[in-house]
Amino acid sequence: MLLLGLLVGVAPACCQSEIEAAEGELERLMAVTVRSVHAASRRAQKSTEAPASVTVVTREEIRRYGHRSLADILRTVPGFYVSYDRFYSYVGVRGFGRSGDFNAKILVLLNGHRINENVYDGAYPETAFPIDADLIERVEVIRGPGSSLYGTNAFFGVVNIITIRGRDLKGGEAALEGGSLATVQARASFGAAIGDDGGVLLSATTAQSAGQRRIDYPELGGSLLEGDGERADSLFVSYSRGRLTVEGLAASRKKYFPGLYLGQRWEDSSNYGADTRGYVDVHHELSLSKGRMLESRVYFDRYQFDGFNPYLDESGDGTIVSREFANGSWWGGELLLHQPLGENHQMTLGTDFRFNLRTRLMTYDADPYLLYADTRPRTANGAAFVQDDIRLARKLRLSAGLRYDRYSTFGGALSPRVGLIYEPASNTAVKLLYGRSFRAPNSYELFYSTPTYQPNPFLRPERIGSTEAVLERYSGKRYRFSISAFDSRISNFINQLADPETGKIGYLNVGGYVSRGVELEAETKGAGGWEARASYGLHRVIDSVNRQWLAGSPLHVGRLNAAYPIRRLKLTAGASVQILSRRLTSNREPESAAGAYLLPSLTISTDRAKRRGMDVALTIVNLADRAFWDPAGDELMVQRIRQNGRLVRAKVTFRF
C-alpha cells in the first residue's frame, strides 16, 4: 500500500486511473476468503471449521490445467497418486495404494450419491468414471477416516464431486476433442433455469481411443499388438426445483487390455472388460421450525461387468475362453436431521440403509461350456449416526461423531471421530483429529470362485485408526497454506494369498500396516490473474509384523501447478509438474522397481472467444516424453507396467 501511495504521488495524471484500479484489485485480493466444504460434516462450513484435512479443486482449476478425468484431478491433491495397469486406474492415498482393490478404500460421491458399486466396491477415476470432467463444478477431497458419517469405503478419505447446475449453463454447449492414440471425444450439453430456484441439465458424452498400438513386455518375451483400445459413453440428467433434486445417470465403458493373470494368453488382443453403471437419485430438503432441516434421499442403482479372457488349455497349445459376469442392483435411502441447539451448537442425526437386490458373480468357460460358479447372495446393511459440533469457547470448537453399521454378512461396526479445532483468527485453524473407519468385505472378496480362486465367506472388516494434526491458514484471497502430520494403524487387512494346501488364491484377513507422514500445500494468487499451487507428501508405510516397506508405496509425492494469463493474446498458460519417488514391486528386488519420475504438462487455453461462443484448449501431457513405469499387481505375471509417453490433445467448446 505504501508503494502504491508513492507511485500515485509521482505518476502523471494519465496513469492515475490505472494505479487506482491496481490498488483496488490489491485490496480485493487482501479480503479474507475461506473456501467452504460440505462433505466433511455433511453440511456447508468453512474449511477451517471442518474436522478434517481438506482440499477443494474448482472448475476453473480443472479448465486451466486441462484435467480430463477424476484421476487427473486427484493427482493434484496432497498425498494422492494414481497407478494404471492398462485396464483400471488405482488411487493411492498417503503412501497406500493397492492395484487390484478397485479403489474400494476411498468413498466417491457424486452430488452426495455413492458411486462405489455393490460387487467390487469399485470407483474408477479414468474413462470408467460416469460423468465428463466438464460437468464438474468442484471436487472436495476429505483426507482421513470418514466412516463416522459415511460407513464403509470412507477408509482413507472421501471424494465429493459437485456438478454444475442447469441454470448455470444457460443454453447449449458442445465440445469436440481429439489427440494422441487416435483419441476422439464429443460432448453435448443443455441447461436452463426453471423459475427462480430450479433448473434442468442434460449432457451426453462419447469417447473412443485406439490406445497404444504396441506394448512391450520384456519379462514375457514379446509384445501385445492392437490390444489397448477403449470406448466410453455416458448420459447425465439433473432436474431441480426448490429443494427437490432428481438425477439420473447411465454410463458404459469397454476396455481391451493385456491378459496378464497367470495362465492367460496375454498376447491375445481380444481380452476385454466392459462396465455398465446407472442410477436414479431423488434428494429433498425440508425446512422445519427453529432452523431445523430434514434431508432425505432415496435411490436405485445398477452395475454390470462382462469379462472376456482367453486362457491356455492344459496342453499349453489351445485356447479356452473364460467369461466373467457380475451383476448388481440395489436400492436404499438416507434421512438426516440438522438440528441447531443454540447459536454455537449444531447437531446432525442420521440413518441410512441399503438392500442389495442382486449381487451375482458368474464364471464359466464358453467353449466347451463349463460352469465354475454362479453365486447370487442377497445382503443388506443399515446404520445410524450422530455428528455434534459445539463451540466450547470463542476460539475453540469440538466436533465429535459416532456411527454404528450393521451388516447381514458379518455383524456390526462402530466408527467414532473426534476433533478439537482452535481458531486463533478467522483465517487460521489448528486441528487435532482422531477417527476410526472400517471397510466391509465386498461380495467379490466373499464369494468369487474360479478354478484358481476360492471364496471366503468368513472375512471380517478392515479397520483403520488415525491421529492427525493440521494447521490451515488463509491470507486474503492471495495466500493459503496447510500442513498436516498423521499416524494411521491398519488392522485386519484383506489381502490375496495362495492356500498352501490347494494352491488356490483367496482373500484373507492378514496382519496390518502402519502409515505415517507429513503433507504440505501452499497456494498463491497475484493481482494480474496468475496463480500457483504446490503440494508435497512424505509417507512411510510398513508392515506392522515384519516391518517391511509396502510394495508400490512412494516415499515422496509432489505436485506444482502454475497458471499465467497472457493478456495480449487473451490466452492462459497452465503448467504442472508431477513428482513421484521410486516404488518397490511385489518381488521387492531393486532392479525391478518402478523408478522415480518427474512429469511436466502444459495447457494453453483461451476464453477470448466466449463472446463468439467458442473456447479452445491445447494440452500436452508428459511434455518431455519420459519413459516411466507403475508397479503391477501381485497377481500379474509382470512386475511393472510401462505408462504412456507424450500425449497431445486439442479441444474446442462451442456455446449456443
Side-chain angles (χ1 to χ4, degrees):
M1 297 295 291
L2 177 60
L3 178 60
L4 282 173
L6 292 174
L7 288 173
V8 169
V10 299
C14 64
C15 299
Q16 185 72 23
S17 60
E18 295 183 9
I19 294 172
E20 290 175 351
E23 185 176 15
E25 175 71 4
L26 183 58
E27 290 176 349
R28 182 185 66 81
L29 287 169
M30 291 302 292
V32 174
T33 300
V34 178
R35 285 179 173 174
S36 65
V37 64
H38 184 276
S41 297
R42 300 189 75 157
R43 62 180 180 85
Q45 60 186 161
K46 295 191 301 181
S47 66
T48 50
E49 298 176 348
S53 177
V54 177
T55 294
V56 178
V57 182
T58 66
R59 188 183 187 192
E60 182 61 22
E61 291 168 323
I62 294 171
R63 186 189 69 83
R64 283 188 174 185
Y65 299 111
H67 302 325
R68 295 304 302 133
S69 67
L70 178 60
D72 290 342
I73 297 169
L74 294 180
R75 286 187 179 100
T76 71
V77 176
F80 277 63
Y81 59 98
V82 180
S83 300
Y84 179 49
D85 67 359
R86 310 213 75 87
F87 185 24
Y88 291 124
S89 290
Y90 301 98
V91 180
V93 184
R94 293 182 162 176
F96 203 103
R98 303 286 288 180
S99 296
D101 71 354
F102 307 108
N103 304 306
K105 295 180 179 65
I106 303 170
L107 177 62
V108 179
L109 305 172
L110 181 59
N111 294 330
H113 182 94
R114 180 184 290 263
I115 291 298
N116 302 67
E117 34 79 11
N118 76 333
V119 180
Y120 309 97
D121 271 347
Y124 312 107
E126 289 282 4
T127 51
F129 193 72
I131 66 162
D132 194 302
D134 286 345
L135 302 182
I136 297 176
E137 178 65 29
R138 73 179 189 275
V139 178
E140 302 173 350
V141 180
I142 315 300
R143 288 179 290 277
S147 289
S148 66
L149 284 173
Y150 296 100
T152 189
N153 303 122
F155 197 77
F156 288 127
V158 177
V159 177
N160 185 33
I161 298 138
I162 295 99
T163 61
I164 60 174
R165 300 177 301 175
R167 62 185 303 107
D168 297 329
L169 198 56
K170 297 178 181 178
E173 189 173 275
L176 182 63
E177 183 175 348
S180 303
L181 309 181
T183 300
V184 179
Q185 180 167 319
R187 174 182 59 87
S189 305
F190 174 79
I194 299 177
D196 296 330
D197 57 359
V200 61
L201 173 66
L202 175 65
S203 183
T205 300
T206 183
Q208 63 180 18
S209 174
Q212 294 286 354
R213 301 291 184 182
R214 173 180 175 141
I215 305 174
D216 296 324
Y217 292 100
E219 297 165 85
L220 302 177
S223 302
L224 174 70
L225 303 177
E226 307 288 345
D228 192 41
E230 65 181 311
R231 168 72 183 266
D233 302 281
S234 65
L235 175 67
F236 179 69
V237 181
S238 177
Y239 168 86
S240 62
R241 189 68 184 267
R243 294 182 177 271
L244 174 68
T245 301
V246 181
E247 293 182 346
L249 179 146
S252 64
R253 180 240 199 184
K254 183 177 182 179
K255 176 70 172 69
Y256 290 88
F257 65 97
L260 295 174
Y261 291 91
L262 187 64
Q264 279 188 297
R265 299 190 68 98
W266 64 269
E267 73 280 9
D268 191 323
S269 61
S270 64
N271 280 286
Y272 74 80
D275 296 273
T276 304
R277 182 78 164 88
Y279 70 78
V280 176
D281 183 286
V282 180
H283 178 253
H284 184 259
E285 295 177 348
L286 176 64
S287 293
L288 305 174
S289 61
K290 298 181 180 180
R292 293 178 298 167
M293 187 178 72
L294 189 64
E295 188 177 349
S296 60
R297 182 187 302 273
V298 63
Y299 56 84
F300 174 78
D301 285 62
R302 293 199 65 183
Y303 171 76
Q304 181 173 304
F305 174 80
D306 183 15
F308 183 96
N309 306 300
Y311 277 81
L312 294 169
D313 62 12
E314 292 183 359
S315 68
D317 298 323
T319 299
I320 296 175
V321 174
S322 174
R323 300 299 303 269
E324 180 177 335
F325 179 79
N327 181 275
S329 60
W330 63 100
W331 76 279
E334 60 184 35
L335 192 65
L336 281 76
L337 175 64
H338 302 285
Q339 172 72 61
L341 299 173
E343 184 178 352
N344 297 312
H345 193 178
Q346 177 74 43
M347 179 178 288
T348 298
L349 302 171
T351 182
D352 60 47
F353 62 91
R354 182 173 74 178
F355 293 100
N356 293 307
L357 303 175
R358 170 177 289 188
T359 313
R360 185 181 185 185
L361 285 160
M362 183 180 182
T363 52
Y364 64 95
D365 291 341
D367 187 17
Y369 180 80
L370 178 61
L371 179 67
Y372 294 110
D374 187 2
T375 59
R376 309 187 188 196
R378 298 187 69 175
T379 60
N381 60 276
F385 62 90
V386 58
Q387 171 75 24
D388 197 16
D389 293 282
I390 183 170
R391 187 175 292 277
L392 302 176
R394 187 171 63 89
K395 297 182 179 182
L396 188 63
R397 302 171 57 89
L398 174 67
S399 178
L402 184 65
R403 175 176 169 125
Y404 178 74
D405 287 81
R406 186 74 184 178
Y407 281 74
S408 60
T409 50
F410 65 82
L414 196 64
S415 305
R417 181 178 72 171
V418 62
L420 199 60
I421 303 168
Y422 175 63
E423 299 175 275
S426 61
N427 63 343
T428 304
V430 179
K431 308 175 184 179
L432 298 177
L433 311 169
Y434 175 79
R436 286 185 59 84
S437 282
F438 76 99
R439 185 184 73 84
N442 56 53
S443 295
Y444 176 72
E445 294 162 337
L446 290 167
F447 306 114
Y448 184 66
S449 178
T450 71
T452 56
Y453 277 80
Q454 62 185 13
N456 182 3
F458 304 106
L459 279 175
R460 305 294 297 171
E462 297 177 304
R463 298 187 182 275
I464 183 173
S466 183
T467 304
E468 185 170 2
V470 182
L471 169 64
E472 185 175 355
R473 179 174 175 81
Y474 287 76
S475 180
K477 293 185 179 180
R478 299 195 65 184
Y479 304 106
R480 183 177 67 85
F481 172 80
S482 69
I483 180 171
S484 63
F486 65 89
D487 181 296
S488 300
R489 309 297 175 101
I490 301 167
S491 59
N492 281 353
F493 178 72
I494 297 176
N495 199 10
Q496 286 182 338
L497 292 175
D499 189 315
E501 295 182 2
T502 65
K504 288 189 174 184
I505 299 172
Y507 287 93
L508 296 172
N509 293 109
V510 292
Y513 292 90
V514 178
S515 174
R516 296 189 180 101
V518 178
E519 295 168 348
L520 301 94
E521 185 176 23
E523 181 180 3
T524 181
K525 297 183 179 182
W530 63 269
E531 66 178 35
R533 174 190 284 187
S535 66
Y536 169 73
L538 174 68
H539 313 108
R540 184 172 184 266
V541 185
I542 60 173
D543 189 307
S544 57
V545 176
N546 56 33
R547 316 304 292 178
Q548 283 190 327
W549 190 279
L550 178 66
S553 177
L555 179 63
H556 306 284
V557 180
R559 185 83 176 199
L560 174 63
N561 289 351
Y564 185 81
I566 310 172
R567 297 194 182 278
R568 186 180 298 275
L569 300 177
K570 297 183 179 179
L571 298 172
T572 297
S576 62
V577 178
Q578 181 186 358
I579 303 167
L580 206 66
S581 64
R582 189 185 72 153
R583 290 164 289 168
L584 293 175
T585 55
S586 58
N587 68 6
R588 316 194 68 81
E589 297 296 332
E591 59 270 17
S592 70
Y597 62 77
L598 184 152
L599 298 180
S601 300
L602 177 67
T603 295
I604 304 293
S605 59
T606 176
D607 57 2
R608 64 175 180 172
K610 275 186 176 180
R611 292 184 296 274
R612 302 199 307 269
M614 183 178 71
D615 288 343
V616 180
L618 174 69
T619 299
I620 307 175
V621 180
N622 192 0
L623 193 63
D625 197 23
R626 180 185 175 93
F628 68 105
W629 288 259
D630 281 336
D634 296 347
E635 67 278 10
L636 301 186
M637 292 186 288
V638 297
Q639 291 294 311
R640 57 181 189 168
I641 296 175
R642 183 163 179 167
Q643 302 301 295
N644 293 325
R646 182 188 298 117
L647 300 177
V648 180
R649 56 178 182 253
K651 177 182 174 184
V652 182
T653 304
F654 303 93
R655 297 178 180 84
F656 48 88

